Amino acid sequence: MFQIGRSTESPIDFVVTDTVPGSQSNSDTQSVQSTISRFACRIICERNPPFTARIYAAGFDSSKNIFLGEKAAKWKTVDGQMDGLTTNGVLVMHPRNGFTEDSKPGVWREISVCGNVFSLRETRSAQQRGKMVENESNELQDGSLIDLCGATLLWRTAEGLSRTPTVKHLEALRQEINAARPQCPVGFNTLAFPSMKRKDVVDEKQPWVYLNCGHVHGFHNWGNKEERDGKDRECPMCRSVGPYVPLWLGCEAGFYVDAGPPTHAFSPCGHVCSEKTTSYWSQIPLPHGTHTFHAACPFCAHQLSGEQGYIRLIFQGPLD
């Protein structure tokens, strides 16, 4: 049994803090008033094949009792047992067709203390529980998403990860795209994605993209008009006006649904990965706040913008 929650007490195996979009470290999240339960959920894994993993809301505290907040919904079941929900709920979504290039979003459900499956409450902390969903289970599948109201976890199985591109493969893709020597159409300088280890400092050779059209450039000041507030720029290639951002290769291999080349970028953050991966995550409605959902970049949690939430990159090859 593995317990997950915000508490740093010894019964918690994985301490989770709130995800702040775009933050690079845990120190960025310390000031946030957390909505994650101290004892959020527990996952019980079978020791023998097929190693089934099941998720349950809430966790055991150091006195070996299930810990639920005062405001948490609790009730007695037909057979006389107690069941309940955490204050803000533990939501689970199993993708259809597994976690593959054919994956499609599933339906978000809420899991109870006893592992029963319910439809969502009207708001995250409403006292009235949803309807019980008899034909669904709390068994985790490859690609299941677990939302703890402040952080969303992605469950990957060993078998699923064995089909996922490795960090080595992503590095080979980076070197391949750099070996093609893409050029900036304005400065004619060669562009190169920086090493995956340098993921927070913009490099001078870093590719930048116009998010409205997908044309890739190096950083330059062409088309930077002051009246546009510094945010929107005009693309020198096609004259479309929109945000101009640096591109970063997404380096968490577990988020990729296939091993395709990095041809697409999420908007507005500029994280680059395969077309199938951007397409999949742009369709996933992630819980946000107490009752809204929106798609977000898996690499930095920024809410996606634009028509699709991602864009195809158009590189200019070397002129020689």
Side-chain angles (χ1 to χ4, degrees), residues 62-319:
S62 39
S63 60
K64 298 189 175 139
N65 290 317
I66 283 287
F67 185 92
L68 282 175
E70 284 174 30
K71 295 177 183 168
K74 311 169 188 79
W75 65 91
K76 206 173 230 181
T77 61
V78 182
D79 55 4
Q81 277 191 317
M82 288 302 291
D83 202 354
L85 307 169
T86 59
T87 306
N88 290 324
V90 173
L91 309 188
V92 172
M93 192 272 283
H94 308 299
R96 291 181 288 129
N97 308 328
F99 196 70
T100 64
E101 51 188 74
D102 302 318
S103 292
K104 289 281 179 281
V107 179
W108 283 99
R109 301 292 192 204
E110 181 160 12
I111 305 294
S112 74
V113 172
C114 294
N116 293 312
V117 182
F118 292 86
S119 61
L120 301 189
R121 293 180 257 181
E122 281 199 8
T123 60
R124 285 300 287 255
S125 56
Q127 280 295 306
Q128 184 58 45
R129 63 184 182 273
K131 286 196 170 75
M132 194 161 170
V133 184
E134 300 278 359
N135 60 343
E136 292 182 26
S137 86
N138 61 338
E139 188 180 321
L140 294 171
Q141 306 161 13
D142 190 34
S144 290
L145 287 166
I146 303 161
D147 187 81
L148 305 176
C149 194
T152 307
L153 313 179
L154 171 66
W155 177 264
R156 297 300 314 267
T157 61
E159 189 191 348
L161 284 173
S162 70
R163 296 190 298 266
T164 296
T166 59
V167 174
K168 247 188 195 159
H169 178 79
L170 297 182
E171 176 59 22
L173 289 174
R174 180 185 80 87
Q175 290 179 7
E176 200 177 308
I177 208 165
N178 287 349
R181 292 172 52 226
Q183 276 191 345
C184 172
V186 171
F188 299 118
N189 48 315
T190 301
L191 307 175
F193 280 100
S195 124
M196 299 225 184
K197 292 188 181 76
R198 299 186 52 202
K199 53 175 187 274
D200 45 5
V201 182
V202 178
D203 190 85
E204 59 177 333
K205 287 186 168 181
Q206 187 123 1
W208 285 62
V209 70
Y210 289 89
L211 287 176
N212 271 4
C213 55
H215 284 116
V216 177
H217 289 64
F219 182 74
H220 57 72
N221 275 316
W222 195 95
N224 190 11
K225 298 194 169 64
E226 281 176 22
E227 67 266 21
R228 292 206 182 107
D229 206 20
K231 286 180 188 157
D232 285 350
R233 299 271 292 267
E234 185 177 62
C235 171
M237 303 291 283
C238 66
R239 298 291 176 134
S240 70
V241 173
Y244 177 56
V245 298
L247 292 173
W248 305 93
L249 277 174
C251 53
E252 175 47 73
F255 293 150
Y256 284 71
V257 297
D258 70 340
T263 54
H264 288 63
F266 287 108
S267 172
C269 58
H271 277 106
V272 179
C273 54
S274 68
E275 178 180 9
K276 293 263 172 72
T277 301
T278 50
S279 171
Y280 175 68
W281 286 103
S282 69
Q283 297 172 55
I284 298 289
L286 293 172
H288 178 71
T290 56
H291 55 270
T292 58
F293 289 79
H294 62 224
C297 169
F299 301 104
C300 67
H302 266 302
Q303 182 176 349
L304 299 184
S305 62
E307 210 172 300
Q308 291 180 302
Y310 63 94
I311 189 161
R312 184 173 72 86
L313 299 175
I314 305 166
F315 287 95
Q316 165 111 7
L319 296 176

Side-chain angles (χ1 to χ4, degrees), residues 15-20 22-32 151:
V15 178
V16 286
T17 54
D18 295 71
T19 302
V20 175
S23 71
Q24 294 284 342
S25 68
N26 276 350
S27 59
D28 298 337
T29 67
Q30 297 307 315
S31 59
V32 177

